[in-house]
Amino acid sequence: MNKKVTNPLLEPGELPQFSNIKPFMIKPAIEQLIEQNRTAISALTAQPRHDWDSLIKPLELMNDRLDKAWSPVRHLNSVKSSPELRDAYNSCLPVLSEYSTEISQNHALYQAYREIEASEEFENFDAAQRKTITDALLNFRLGGVELEGEARERYQQLQKDLSELQSSFENNLLDSTQAWQYLTEDPAELRGMPEYALSMLRQLAEQKNLPGYRLTLDMPCFLAVITYAENRDLRKEIYEAYVTRASDQGITDKIWDNAGNMQQIVAKRQEKAKLLGFANYAEYSLETKMAESVEQVTEFLQDLAAHSREAAIGEVDERQAFAESMGFEGSLQAWDYAYYSEKLKQQRYRISDEDLKPYFSDNRVINGLFEIVARLYQVRITGVDDEVDRWDDAVSFYQIEDRNGDVIGRFFLDLYARENKRGGAWMDECINRYRIDGKTQVPVAYLTCNLTPPIGKEPALFTHDEVITLFHEFGHGLHHMLTRVDVPDVAGINGVEWDAVELPSQFMENFCWERDALILFARHYQTDEPLPDELYRRMIDAKNFQSALQMLRQIEFSLFDIRLHQQTDISSAEQIQEILDEVRSEVSVVTTPKINRFQNGFSHIFAGGYAAGYYSYKWAEVLSADAFAAFEEEGIFNPETGQRFLQCVLEKGGSRPALESFRCFRGRDPQIDALLKHSGIN
Ligand SMILES: [Zn+2]
């Protein structure tokens, strides 16, 4: 017998062959594809003339080919991890990142794109083709392709320095987080903490072979202690340890102080922005976002703050009065806020996850979600029983048909938490929509959650938060799958501005709070009785509990971020503290203890991708609330409104600026009113 082992990554079928992908096949396949691409790109750029068919089309094909090999690997590494797979995956990361840097700095390729932009052909392109070219050119420029000589070297050095500084920031934070612990064997010290939290603390102790309870600064533990522990000294201790991580304050070692990293990161970002011709890093960051200018972002945040301030002061007073009614004397401090807020919330709404869970059983929720989508967009979602290759028996596969019965999208749904599956929830692209040689490649999505799995024969019962998570990710999925754009670089979520990409996902969340939508699926799993009115009312009231305070907190972080990245003369950590203090004096309605070094642990902006972009959370919320308000005005299942949203937003993907899509749907620019109303602030 002469049986040749084929590499499924090099010979992809219509869908990935998950069960045939073995770790040893991964790196050779990726390296081979990248090598082929390199050779092909050299040949392409060496051609005397460039146009869409001779340059962009072959590039699209190459990218699609590489995506089809890498996407299932990336996915398997997240949902069915093993040490061998992780090693194979990690070994490809530097190869892929080197390749993408190489492309973004390829001067010949850049010139070829410019030639197309300047050609007569460009005038006849459709919107998607034009945006593909202009997006690519912008990425080349932001990647430093136009820099030469010393400037080019300096740019590359800055990139390298920044990646090291950012990872040092993250490491300091991690080390100082792990350096603190609090041990006790006396349950009386932990009075007030719920059973789930106590078992978490016991588990944390067991992990270190210690008896009793172990408190750490990991988020779930910190939150549980600060929210529930009756012991005020303990709350104060964990608060101070948490807010002084990686700083010159507190008890952990000063060798982890991030002050130097922060100053250096901001200074080098500014230098990079200047090299690329921007006045400051905030402007550089906004170049690829929907928001038009730093002034617009600042005004947007200040406007939201002004509208929320009075309500937030009311919330603070109410909490203080409540604490006093419980016998508290003096002013509440930072380590008291969460504790008394939770007590007040419980007293007022008496609503818990356990009350709601029987009304959110798995099949009812999923069918309800599909029904809502069907009503909104006149599509039909059905399960596919074929022998589709899956990575786990719990995964199901579905298709979406439009009103003509044509299949326009397909998706894998992997709902439940499982061993060797990464936590969290996300949507990822499996296959992109792509029209080539008269045929359309139908988009395929991975929808992944970590919901509570079913036990025995009973259906899985979800918390309301879990239901929201599912709807959210499905919104991203619809953006990917309902697109009608044929050019892959701007189809679906590709090419959508960063601060607008959460619009379709947050939009879907709204249906989890609507009576008329809940009636479709929120029914008792045993009796089929619909969610009682009284429970629904408490759920809505609890939703907006202290929403103004939360709003101000997000605005404080966002304003600090944008202002910091406007500042081109940061030479010390003290200056950073001053900017934060100034923002707090403008926005905050609570006092922050002197010892607090929140900024030293703000990894979203210092180590992650949110630099001069933290405002995006609020920005996208305004867009999604305002979009949903159109449905509130015209009927939440109004098919005409649904078609308009489909055609103006979902189908268009990244083929035009998000603001144009929004205006097409709403007939005007976004307004903050709907978000304020949905948050119970007027
Ligand atoms: Zn999202």
Side-chain angles (χ1 to χ4, degrees):
M1 277 252 293
N2 187 3
K3 196 163 174 257
K4 203 172 145 250
V5 180
T6 55
N7 190 332
L9 298 173
L10 292 172
E11 291 166 38
E14 206 198 332
L15 289 167
Q17 306 161 50
F18 299 104
S19 47
N20 294 329
I21 299 172
K22 305 284 177 257
F24 74 87
M25 300 167 169
I26 294 171
K27 198 170 180 203
I30 298 299
E31 280 178 335
Q32 185 181 325
L33 288 170
I34 286 181
E35 222 24 69
Q36 285 170 4
N37 287 2
R38 281 197 175 112
T39 314
I41 290 171
S42 307
L44 287 176
T45 50
Q47 296 179 114
R49 302 178 61 83
H50 304 287
D51 57 23
W52 184 274
D53 283 347
S54 69
L55 183 79
I56 309 300
K57 216 168 142 184
L59 284 173
E60 280 177 352
L61 263 175
M62 271 181 238
N63 291 339
D64 191 60
R65 198 63 204 72
L66 187 56
D67 281 347
K68 278 185 184 142
W70 184 240
S71 162
V73 171
R74 181 177 65 216
H75 183 64
L76 283 176
N77 184 54
S78 300
V79 295
K80 198 182 181 181
S81 180
S82 69
E84 298 76 30
L85 178 60
R86 190 174 321 139
D87 286 349
Y89 171 84
N90 285 335
S91 73
C92 292
L93 293 179
V95 181
L96 284 160
S97 113
E98 196 191 332
Y99 173 66
S100 90
T101 311
E102 202 179 287
I103 299 270
S104 70
Q105 310 229 327
N106 185 329
H107 209 266
L109 194 56
Y110 172 60
Q111 288 302 344
Y113 269 89
R114 286 187 66 182
E115 196 184 311
I116 295 177
E117 190 199 28
S119 71
E120 255 172 58
E121 188 193 16
F122 186 81
E123 301 305 316
N124 299 320
F125 282 167
D126 63 25
Q129 287 177 303
R130 270 206 290 271
K131 186 139 180 300
T132 298
I133 303 292
T134 50
D135 280 3
L137 285 170
L138 179 61
N139 283 332
F140 276 118
R141 288 185 190 117
L142 297 180
V145 76
E146 285 183 331
L147 300 174
E148 279 165 21
E150 252 175 66
R152 189 178 176 90
E153 270 168 45
R154 184 62 191 154
Y155 178 85
Q156 281 165 350
Q157 186 62 43
L158 287 170
Q159 288 289 80
K160 198 165 156 272
D161 292 352
L162 277 168
S163 112
E164 278 164 21
L165 285 163
Q166 289 176 189
S167 99
S168 163
F169 182 98
E170 198 69 85
N171 290 337
N172 282 344
L173 184 60
L174 191 67
D175 288 343
S176 64
T177 300
Q178 287 175 349
W180 186 93
Q181 64 175 4
Y182 183 96
L183 299 168
T184 177
E185 291 184 44
D186 180 8
E189 264 200 87
L190 304 171
R191 211 180 356 246
M193 309 243 338
E195 190 41 51
Y196 89 87
L198 290 173
S199 73
M200 173 172 70
L201 300 183
R202 276 194 297 269
Q203 219 176 353
L204 287 169
E206 276 163 29
Q207 281 167 9
K208 299 279 167 184
N209 292 317
L210 295 164
Y213 306 88
R214 179 166 162 260
L215 282 56
T216 71
L217 297 182
D218 288 331
M219 187 62 114
C221 179
F222 168 71
L223 278 182
V225 176
I226 204 81
T227 308
Y228 296 110
E230 286 175 21
N231 183 340
R232 192 174 188 227
D233 293 335
L234 183 63
R235 290 203 310 264
K236 180 168 192 267
E237 192 167 337
I238 200 167
Y239 172 84
E240 291 187 341
Y242 189 80
V243 301
T244 56
R245 290 173 305 154
S247 79
D248 57 338
Q249 303 287 308
I251 53 145
T252 56
D253 203 309
K254 312 286 180 276
I255 57 166
W256 295 311
D257 187 358
N258 264 335
N261 284 336
M262 287 152 56
Q263 183 273 323
Q264 289 270 314
I265 288 169
V266 177
K268 286 186 196 262
R269 280 178 184 160
Q270 295 296 3
E271 196 185 336
K272 181 175 136 177
K274 212 162 257 174
L275 271 178
L276 296 173
F278 294 93
N280 56 57
Y281 190 84
E283 285 189 9
Y284 161 85
S285 163
L286 292 186
E287 190 70 11
T288 49
K289 296 188 172 75
M290 178 180 169
E292 276 157 6
S293 66
V294 176
E295 292 69 35
Q296 190 192 24
V297 171
T298 307
E299 275 169 30
F300 162 77
L301 293 167
Q302 285 171 335
D303 194 17
L304 271 182
H307 280 89
S308 310
R309 196 177 168 82
E310 206 183 293
I313 291 171
E315 288 167 7
V316 170
D317 292 347
E318 181 183 74
R319 178 170 61 195
Q320 177 70 33
F322 172 76
E324 284 166 19
S325 77
M326 282 180 71
F328 183 89
E329 286 169 19
S331 288
L332 291 177
Q333 300 299 314
W335 44 90
D336 300 318
Y337 296 156
Y339 178 79
Y340 285 101
S341 293
E342 177 64 21
K343 288 274 175 294
L344 175 59
K345 186 176 171 184
Q346 280 312 321
Q347 193 218 41
R348 189 171 293 171
Y349 307 113
R350 286 182 224 286
I351 194 157
S352 78
D353 285 345
E354 298 309 312
D355 299 333
L356 292 169
K357 272 165 82 170
Y359 296 94
F360 297 123
S361 57
D362 47 12
N363 283 332
R364 280 182 176 79
V365 170
I366 291 161
N367 291 332
L369 168 63
F370 293 172
E371 171 68 21
I372 289 167
V373 172
R375 288 192 188 190
L376 288 173
Y377 309 126
Q378 260 96 81
V379 295
R380 203 163 78 99
I381 303 177
T382 45
V384 178
D385 297 324
D386 299 1
E387 290 295 298
V388 173
D389 197 338
R390 295 152 217 213
W391 53 95
D392 192 279
D393 290 342
V395 178
S396 27
F397 190 68
Y398 297 88
Q399 64 180 29
I400 307 180
E401 290 163 86
D402 67 8
R403 50 174 142 186
N404 305 320
D406 294 327
V407 175
I408 51 170
R410 301 190 287 174
F411 59 97
F412 292 96
L413 185 63
D414 184 356
L415 281 182
Y416 303 112
R418 186 173 62 233
E419 217 181 322
N420 300 322
K421 179 172 167 184
R422 173 159 67 88
W426 66 92
M427 190 288 291
D428 195 6
E429 299 158 346
C430 173
I431 290 174
N432 278 306
R433 181 175 162 105
Y434 181 18
R435 189 164 173 82
I436 174 126
D437 299 333
K439 278 203 303 197
T440 301
Q441 175 171 289
V442 170
V444 181
Y446 302 114
L447 288 156
T448 314
C449 297
N450 273 278
L451 309 182
T452 316
I455 302 165
K457 285 206 166 61
E458 296 287 294
L461 301 178
F462 302 146
T463 64
H464 188 243
D465 274 348
E466 288 181 319
V467 176
I468 292 174
T469 300
L470 176 63
F471 275 60
H472 178 105
E473 298 310 332
F474 206 77
H476 284 306
L478 291 173
H479 206 186
H480 175 62
M481 293 183 284
L482 298 185
T483 191
R484 294 285 182 166
V485 175
D486 293 330
V487 186
D489 281 355
V490 292
I493 60 172
N494 295 314
V496 175
E497 294 101 311
W498 204 75
D499 46 355
V501 86
E502 295 294 332
L503 163 60
S505 52
Q506 295 183 349
F507 169 79
M508 281 304 292
E509 292 183 21
N510 288 289
F511 291 92
C512 304
W513 299 102
E514 278 296 320
R515 197 73 182 110
D516 291 344
L518 285 167
I519 210 90
L520 298 174
F521 64 91
R523 292 175 168 273
H524 198 282
Y525 76 108
Q526 287 164 325
T527 62
D528 205 38
E529 168 214 13
L531 180 72
D533 280 334
E534 193 261 347
L535 208 51
Y536 173 69
R537 215 167 314 115
R538 279 193 279 150
M539 191 176 107
I540 294 291
D541 288 345
K543 172 191 175 218
N544 290 333
F545 180 67
Q546 293 188 349
S547 58
L549 272 171
Q550 283 165 31
M551 178 88 80
L552 287 189
R553 196 175 146 81
Q554 288 297 314
I555 293 169
E556 176 183 318
F557 299 163
S558 307
L559 262 182
F560 164 63
D561 166 45
I562 201 85
R563 224 172 259 181
L564 176 68
H565 285 102
Q566 265 182 288
Q567 208 78 24
T568 52
D569 62 346
I570 298 290
S571 57
S572 71
E574 284 74 39
Q575 270 173 287
I576 298 177
Q577 181 74 57
E578 278 164 25
I579 295 173
L580 183 55
D581 290 345
E582 185 189 282
V583 168
R584 280 185 179 141
S585 72
E586 286 170 37
V587 172
S588 183
V589 293
V590 292
T591 45
T592 308
K594 275 253 163 302
I595 191 176
N596 185 304
R597 290 288 179 274
F598 159 79
Q599 64 274 31
N600 293 48
F602 196 8
S603 51
H604 274 84
I605 69 160
F606 287 111
Y610 282 82
Y614 197 83
Y615 74 92
S616 298
Y617 283 111
K618 281 291 147 211
W619 188 269
E621 258 184 78
V622 163
L623 298 180
S624 61
D626 198 7
F628 189 71
F631 287 83
E632 292 175 314
E633 291 155 16
E634 299 163 24
I636 70 156
F637 292 124
N638 187 322
E640 278 159 36
T641 317
Q643 280 302 307
R644 209 166 71 233
F645 191 68
L646 177 68
Q647 287 166 5
C648 288
V649 179
L650 297 176
E651 288 185 354
K652 290 294 183 292
S655 68
R656 64 181 180 190
L659 183 60
E660 264 178 50
S661 295
F662 189 91
R663 281 181 184 148
C664 163
F665 173 63
R666 211 60 176 102
R668 58 161 172 76
D669 282 2
Q671 294 173 356
I672 63 171
D673 312 50
L675 177 63
L676 294 171
K677 185 169 156 251
H678 290 167
S679 311
I681 306 165
N682 282 313

